Amino acid sequence: MSLVNLFDAASALPGAWSSRLLGEIGTAAVKLLRMDGTPVREEAHGTAEILIVLDGRMELVVQGDPVSVGPGEMYRVPAGTAHAVGPGSHGILLIVEVPETDR
């Protein structure tokens, strides 16, 4: 894999909330997306997610509890945990999807 400028890659995404797979490390997938302020409904995944805010702010609701994640911060959502992205979330988000067996 060659050098990737994450900010340029985020600018090239077709739209907000449209993730791009940047690569894989073992069984973990590394994705990038842009947040545009609109909320995303509650969901749960079969893999754990590490959410890293590169720029902006993400307002999460994890199992009913609010969690604010700022630039340079990360939050780990365990597999199967219900979470939603609240309104006002904006900027660039790096997501690392990690199967629970890799912990």
Side-chain angles (χ1 to χ4, degrees), residues 27-76:
T27 57
V30 180
K31 298 179 177 181
L32 184 70
L33 66 78
R34 251 188 2 256
M35 303 177 285
D36 70 350
T38 59
V40 176
R41 64 187 167 108
E42 185 176 80
E43 59 187 5
H45 308 283
T47 60
E49 290 183 316
I50 296 171
L51 307 172
I52 304 167
V53 175
L54 300 176
D55 180 53
R57 179 158 299 280
M58 180 175 50
E59 303 300 336
L60 279 174
V61 178
V62 181
Q63 293 186 321
D65 295 323
V67 178
S68 187
V69 186
E73 295 180 327
M74 67 176 242
Y75 187 84
R76 183 179 183 280

Side-chain angles (χ1 to χ4, degrees), residues 1-2 4 6 13 16 19 31 33 43-44 47 57-58 62 69 71-72 77 79 88 92 95 98-99 103:
M1 180 178 198
S2 59
V4 175
L6 298 174
L13 290 170
S19 66
K31 298 179 177 181
L33 66 78
E43 59 187 5
T47 60
R57 179 158 299 280
M58 180 175 50
V62 181
V69 186
V77 180
I92 302 170
I95 303 170
V98 184
R103 290 197 287 158

